[in-house]
Amino acid sequence: MRPWPGTPYPLGATYDGVGTNFTLFSEVAEYVELCLFDDDGQETRVRLPEVDGFVHHGYLLGIGPGQKYGYRVHGPYDPEQGLRCNPNKLLIDPYAKAITGEVKWHESLFGYPFGEPDQRNDQDSAGHVPLSVVVSPFFDWANDRPPKTPYNESVIYETHVRGLTMQHPEVPERLRGTYAGLAHPVIIEHLQKLGVTAVELMPVHQFVTDHGLVEKGLRNYWGYNTIGFFAPHEAYAALPESAGQVQEFKGMVRALHEAGIEVILDVVYNHTAEGNHLGPTLSMRGIDNQAYYRLVDDEPKYYMDYTGTGNSMNVRSPHTLQLIMDSLRYWVTEMRVDGFRFDLAATLAREFYDVDRLSTFFDLVQQDPVVSQVKLIAEPWDVGPGGYQVGNFPPLWTEWNGKYRDTVRDFWRGEPATLGEFASRLTGSSDLYQEDGRRPFASINFVTAHDGFTLNDLVSYNDKHNLANGEEGRDGADDNRSWNCGVEGPTDDPEVNDLRERQRRNLLATLLLSQGVPMLLHGDEIGRTQLGNNNAYCQDNELSWVDWTLAEKNRDLLEFTAALTAFRKQHPVLRRRRFFQGRPIRRGDELRDIAWFTPSGQEMTEQNWGDGFGRCLVVFLNGEGIPDLDQRGMRVLDDSFLIAFNAHHEEIAITLPDEGYGPQWTVVIDTATGQVTQPELGEPIPAGGTLPLVARSLVVLQRTGVA
């Protein structure tokens, strides 16, 4: 087989309808062999004939979609100096659009302690490592259009392709756990009922289950162990033959877009599955180790580890930055996703040692005409020094607001001295996002996420119960800010169960009534439990999968959640584009856009905010004070509301504000009863009147009686 020279760009394997152009970057390689595999696993090697700018390339006529391939890189091997080229290692193309097969763990795959001989002569074959696959770029997108939902109108649903559908009785068994399963009409109908505008999918880039989990009989369920930044995970495809996962993923995106639902990917560009110096050589390590990974300055060249996984990507390298940016653009332009959530994003800001808010990566994103136009969400921390960076990302970015999560949890479990911070989190966290020009929607608000307790477990367990993970309970966070309501785990005590149901409603209502972008964790709307496991990363089983029988058992919770999202959508004062100012909305008018009250109906004072034992407060939201314009340039108007919070363990009678704020009010949301109603169905309460607020509950009152 005689290759033509081909072209050095684009990187990866590119099919043009006649043949395929293969390219691979390696600054250290002496030469590169392309390895082609037939259906029987027989290998044919072809040396790439040309090198331009350290890109090795060649074109093969007649090679098309479905062709399996890999690379063998010939070059220097000196691990103590950070050089790890080894032609005995069969390597995955970093730009592979599809990857097939799993790692079959074998002694030859592993690295060895520095100073000990490496078994370099044991050749990897197609049976040991996954293979890259040439894909067809052609797909019928029909009339697909991205929903482009504004941030302030978004409701995000964090979910898992496999876990969401594995136990759904109405999804055909062959489609469960797949992209096609997630696109099934019954799943889309559920998302639409919930008012979800975007699914945030846990990692779908091709990933690896590491050797330690395989030895324990477990699997990497979450997927934060990427080996292919362009390839949809093969195991999530119903029909993966001939790289069918690419077509199936695109079909899922098309179906969700048709339903008005955006697709956001949780992406892991901070590290790869190759681990530390003892880990396997699967791809980039054997291609150009120094270019792709951060290495220590001293010898031997260990890997810098800001992620807790063994290595960190070298974002100081232009070729690594190119890889990341090419990947992001590919998923937007070719796979048509609508945004990204960046795992451990602080690592991407480490150009030298400290987290650098103005690092090159963020500069590249800012100026990129494609990537800068989609939703960009940072997980604003890593495990390195100074890694907690909530509020410190550039203006283009939004952030998972960990301070929101912690504050809301503390308030409802009755921790002291949280009133002031609770008020800040409820109104969009202006202390974190206002000074650099960002808006309330820079805050992605969440109470629960994949990492930690589910909503049900948050109110059912004080302690983690992770023994099923095989790490003797050492894994997972110890500080969960949870409260079991008096009994650890499941109970038949009706009072405890009633309190837990109320606390679940309190947390959901707070989330969906807060300024910012709410994010729900899949299954929380039906009371999903992991039996107290707060780190189910390796539980690819019923413990982590959504149990859809709960949808009927906890129908009231599902209906309550759906009613909350509908209420939020109906009222723009709950999803403002700008922060509250605490000032009158018109000259000569004393009524401000927001006001805070004590249970006695008096405006909060500095002393009240500093009350370490405050458990109850009331906030007035002025619907006439929304500083937003609609699509026609008209001023946005809404009803006005009072929201009353009581985190105390006893009932508190609250006094409504004087008639300057409204002549009368009607309860429209009550977490004590789980009711969300229209104001005309309730009994009006006059200004200055009293309302008993049930222990640990929340009510929303709508202003009525205004002409």
Side-chain angles (χ1 to χ4, degrees):
M1 187 175 295
R2 186 179 180 85
W4 295 357
T7 60
Y9 195 84
L11 291 165
T14 305
Y15 174 65
D16 62 6
V18 178
T20 300
N21 192 71
F22 293 90
T23 65
L24 182 74
F25 159 77
S26 178
E27 188 170 350
V28 299
E30 296 165 2
Y31 65 94
V32 172
E33 288 182 305
L34 170 67
C35 307
L36 303 175
F37 293 89
D38 62 21
D39 291 340
D40 296 325
Q42 295 299 309
E43 178 179 352
T44 300
R45 300 185 188 184
V46 179
R47 180 168 172 170
L48 295 181
E50 294 290 333
V51 184
D52 288 296
F54 304 115
V55 175
H56 303 250
H57 57 91
Y59 180 92
L60 290 177
L61 192 66
I63 298 297
Q67 175 65 59
K68 300 171 185 177
Y69 71 98
Y71 290 110
R72 298 189 186 275
V73 175
H74 297 255
Y77 182 82
D78 187 352
E80 296 197 10
Q81 298 296 321
L83 301 170
R84 290 180 173 269
C85 296
N86 180 356
N88 294 304
K89 304 293 185 184
L90 181 62
L91 304 174
I92 299 167
D93 181 0
Y95 278 76
K97 306 301 192 302
I99 297 172
T100 186
E102 296 185 345
V103 174
K104 301 295 191 296
W105 291 101
H106 183 272
E107 191 177 55
S108 67
L109 292 177
F110 294 101
Y112 291 82
F114 291 122
E116 294 188 16
D118 194 341
Q119 296 181 10
R120 299 186 63 210
N121 296 321
D122 291 344
Q123 284 208 357
D124 295 340
S125 67
H128 289 157
V129 297
L131 298 175
S132 308
V133 186
V134 177
V135 306
S136 170
F138 307 113
F139 180 77
D140 182 8
W141 284 101
N143 295 318
D144 178 71
R145 295 288 185 276
K148 292 189 178 296
T149 307
Y151 269 119
N152 68 310
E153 297 177 13
S154 296
V155 176
I156 297 174
Y157 189 76
E158 190 195 22
T159 189
H160 188 285
V161 170
R162 183 166 167 82
L164 182 64
T165 61
M166 278 299 292
Q167 297 190 100
H168 200 296
E170 295 181 55
V171 174
E173 189 170 351
R174 70 183 186 282
L175 301 183
R176 294 176 190 172
T178 70
Y179 306 117
L182 198 148
H184 191 275
V186 72
I187 298 297
I188 290 178
E189 181 182 345
H190 177 79
L191 296 173
Q192 290 178 314
K193 177 178 181 176
L194 274 182
V196 168
T197 68
V199 289
E200 182 177 302
L201 303 181
M202 291 179 66
V204 298
H205 289 173
Q206 186 75 25
F207 62 85
V208 171
T209 293
D210 62 79
H211 182 250
L213 289 178
V214 172
E215 284 193 320
K216 295 176 183 176
L218 299 171
R219 296 186 60 82
N220 187 319
Y221 171 66
W222 284 355
Y224 293 95
N225 206 31
T226 306
I227 199 60
F229 293 130
F230 293 77
H233 192 58
E234 181 188 37
Y236 295 162
L239 297 170
E241 292 79 11
S242 298
Q245 60 264 43
V246 178
Q247 302 292 311
E248 191 174 323
F249 183 93
K250 290 178 177 179
M252 175 195 72
V253 172
R254 185 179 59 193
L256 289 167
H257 281 182
E258 187 177 356
I261 298 172
E262 295 182 307
V263 178
I264 299 171
L265 301 187
D266 191 341
V267 290
V268 189
Y269 293 112
N270 54 74
H271 74 280
T272 77
E274 293 186 292
N276 63 18
H277 65 289
L278 301 178
T281 297
L282 301 173
S283 181
M284 288 176 271
R285 170 175 291 165
I287 295 169
D288 197 329
N289 190 48
Q290 293 175 312
Y292 285 116
Y293 294 112
R294 288 287 300 271
L295 305 178
V296 300
D297 294 330
D298 301 328
E299 296 178 15
K301 297 292 186 182
Y302 288 103
Y303 293 90
M304 298 289 285
D305 184 11
Y306 296 120
T307 64
T309 60
N311 65 55
S312 301
M313 293 291 285
N314 183 12
V315 291
R316 296 182 297 182
S317 164
H319 297 285
T320 301
L321 286 170
Q322 180 185 10
L323 171 73
I324 295 172
M325 295 305 298
D326 285 349
S327 170
L328 292 170
R329 278 190 294 270
Y330 174 79
W331 286 97
V332 175
T333 59
E334 297 297 322
M335 309 297 267
R336 300 204 179 183
V337 304
D338 305 282
F340 305 95
R341 179 263 189 190
F342 291 79
D343 177 63
L344 301 182
T347 299
L348 299 173
R350 292 183 183 274
E351 286 205 3
F352 295 100
Y353 178 75
D354 295 328
V355 175
D356 182 358
R357 189 166 176 266
L358 300 177
S359 72
T360 305
F361 172 70
F362 298 109
D363 290 343
L364 289 173
V365 170
Q366 181 74 36
Q367 61 80 41
D368 190 277
V370 174
V371 181
S372 64
Q373 299 306 302
V374 300
K375 289 183 168 67
L376 301 171
I377 305 171
E379 182 186 34
W381 50 77
D382 65 15
V383 301
Y388 193 75
Q389 294 291 317
V390 173
N392 289 332
F393 278 70
L396 191 66
W397 290 69
T398 63
E399 301 174 14
W400 269 27
N401 191 344
K403 291 186 177 181
Y404 179 94
R405 171 200 59 205
D406 296 345
T407 301
V408 170
R409 288 185 178 192
D410 278 350
F411 178 78
W412 283 113
R413 69 188 180 122
E415 285 296 295
T418 63
L419 277 185
E421 188 166 6
F422 178 73
S424 178
R425 303 298 159 241
L426 188 74
T427 54
S429 297
S430 60
D431 58 323
L432 298 176
Y433 305 114
Q434 189 170 24
E435 288 188 4
D436 60 9
R438 286 192 279 178
R439 302 288 180 86
F441 52 72
S443 178
I444 306 297
N445 298 330
F446 66 105
V447 177
T448 55
H450 70 272
D451 189 359
F453 283 144
T454 65
L455 180 64
N456 179 80
D457 292 358
L458 186 66
V459 301
S460 303
Y461 295 90
N462 284 348
D463 304 305
K464 64 185 181 183
H465 297 266
N466 295 359
L467 289 179
N469 297 353
E471 300 177 44
E472 299 180 356
R474 293 187 298 269
D475 64 302
D478 293 314
D479 179 19
N480 294 287
R481 300 176 188 248
S482 61
W483 178 46
N484 65 17
C485 298
V487 177
E488 187 75 356
T491 179
D492 294 328
D493 188 321
E495 291 187 6
V496 172
N497 285 327
D498 286 347
L499 176 56
R500 287 177 178 175
E501 290 177 10
R502 197 157 67 248
Q503 288 286 75
R504 290 191 301 197
R505 293 193 291 265
N506 288 335
L507 291 162
L508 285 169
T510 303
L511 176 65
L512 289 161
L513 295 170
S514 295
Q515 304 295 322
V517 181
M519 185 183 79
L520 297 163
L521 172 63
H522 75 185
D524 276 354
E525 73 276 11
I526 58 175
R528 183 175 74 92
T529 178
Q530 292 177 171
L531 303 180
N533 191 317
N534 73 348
N535 187 37
Y537 75 101
C538 58
Q539 298 299 323
D540 188 5
N541 51 49
E542 290 85 352
L543 186 68
S544 284
W545 302 337
V546 174
D547 178 1
W548 287 97
T549 64
L550 296 172
E552 185 59 38
K553 177 182 178 182
N554 295 319
R555 176 165 292 279
D556 288 347
L557 181 62
L558 174 58
E559 297 296 334
F560 180 74
T561 308
L564 285 174
T565 57
F567 188 84
R568 179 185 180 88
K569 182 178 181 180
Q570 182 182 359
H571 294 291
V573 73
L574 300 174
R575 44 182 175 81
R576 291 164 48 113
R577 297 185 66 251
R578 292 172 173 83
F579 287 105
F580 290 103
Q581 298 298 311
R583 295 197 296 260
I585 59 174
R586 288 182 293 270
R587 185 173 296 178
D589 189 349
E590 295 184 0
L591 203 61
R592 290 163 290 169
D593 57 0
I594 189 170
W596 300 89
F597 300 92
T598 66
S600 63
Q602 303 300 309
E603 287 209 42
M604 295 279 285
T605 66
E606 200 68 36
Q607 181 178 351
N608 296 138
W609 286 117
D611 185 358
F613 296 95
R615 297 286 185 275
C616 182
L617 79 164
V618 180
V619 60
F620 165 75
L621 304 181
N622 189 342
E624 297 179 7
I626 305 173
D628 300 337
L629 301 177
D630 63 19
Q631 294 298 317
R632 299 170 298 169
M634 304 295 290
R635 183 163 163 259
V636 174
L637 295 174
D638 193 7
D639 299 309
S640 295
F641 296 92
L642 292 171
I643 308 177
F645 303 86
N646 179 19
H648 192 47
H649 64 272
E650 295 179 344
E651 180 181 292
I652 294 178
I654 63 169
T655 300
L656 304 190
D658 62 48
E659 61 184 11
Y661 292 91
Q664 62 187 31
W665 301 85
T666 304
V667 173
V668 290
I669 297 176
D670 186 351
T671 62
T673 62
Q675 296 299 307
V676 180
T677 60
Q678 296 299 315
E680 58 269 18
L681 300 178
E683 183 175 339
I685 305 170
T690 59
L691 174 70
L693 199 55
V694 173
R696 295 193 173 94
S697 72
L698 172 163
V699 299
V700 178
L701 301 102
Q702 187 166 337
R703 186 168 66 183
T704 55
V706 179

